[in-house]
Amino acid sequence: ALECAARAMGPLVGPRTSVLPLLNGADIAERIGPVIGAERVLGGVAQLSARVAEPGLIRQMGPLNKIIFGEFSGAITPRAQAIHDCLRHAGIEALLSTQIRSEIWKKYLFIAAAGGVCAVTGSLLGPVLADADTRALYVGCVEELAALARKQGVPLPATVVADTLR
């Protein structure tokens, strides 16, 4: 329903509107850009640790609570700097990145591999990583996703698989 939601934003989008999607997925900007205008879309990821405490209640866990975002061109533009300043003023930890595609894919490696392997095994990530066989499956998924990103020209560090495991 992402494209439908982007179309519904139409009345909210003016000539100077910027959109910073913080959704999981490697192709969010490519999906909403054609609908609302690619020039309006920045790339972003939210890094946080949370769990479902009970139906309808999400609890944040741990110190990880940050937004990383930037222009897909890699430039630090006045609009990106203004958004960064606004987030910081609101007390939100924000990092303005010149490599936002890499940041998006680094998160995607973790989320997609963890979600897939945990769904297949019916287990949480801790037990998956503790078992040699399911850990190998997880590592293989991360490696395959990293290869896909690189094939698409996304510059990932050589240590991305080890970083993801950490």
Side-chain angles (χ1 to χ4, degrees):
L2 183 58
E3 291 82 359
C4 182
R7 278 191 296 281
M9 289 174 42
L12 304 172
V13 177
R16 295 183 46 206
T17 301
S18 296
V19 177
L20 175 56
L22 298 174
L23 302 163
N24 291 336
D27 65 346
I28 303 303
E30 289 83 357
R31 291 172 58 198
I32 66 173
V35 179
I36 63 171
E39 72 283 359
R40 291 185 169 89
V41 183
L42 292 96
V45 296
Q47 291 184 340
L48 59 101
S49 195
R51 66 177 177 83
V52 178
E54 61 186 65
L57 180 62
I58 308 293
R59 291 221 190 268
Q60 182 182 338
M61 305 167 9
L64 189 59
N65 187 17
K66 172 174 41 176
I67 293 174
I68 303 171
F69 74 99
E71 300 281 0
F72 286 103
S73 69
I76 303 294
T77 62
R79 79 168 176 168
Q81 188 64 56
I83 293 168
H84 177 264
D85 294 346
C86 183
L87 290 169
R88 298 295 297 233
H89 181 74
I92 299 168
E93 185 177 348
L95 174 65
L96 190 49
S97 174
T98 60
Q99 295 289 323
I100 195 58
R101 276 197 203 287
S102 295
E103 296 296 336
I104 290 168
W105 271 91
K106 285 190 281 186
K107 180 173 182 181
Y108 187 64
L109 296 182
F110 173 76
I111 295 289
V117 174
C118 290
V120 165
T121 61
S123 182
L124 298 173
L125 187 57
V128 162
L129 296 177
D131 177 84
D133 292 331
T134 54
R135 181 183 182 90
L137 177 62
Y138 177 79
V139 170
C141 289
V142 173
E143 289 170 341
E144 187 167 339
L145 288 162
L148 176 63
R150 288 185 177 114
K151 183 77 171 174
Q152 293 183 12
V154 178
L156 293 175
T159 59
V160 73
V161 174
D163 295 345
T164 302
L165 285 168
R166 226 180 354 271

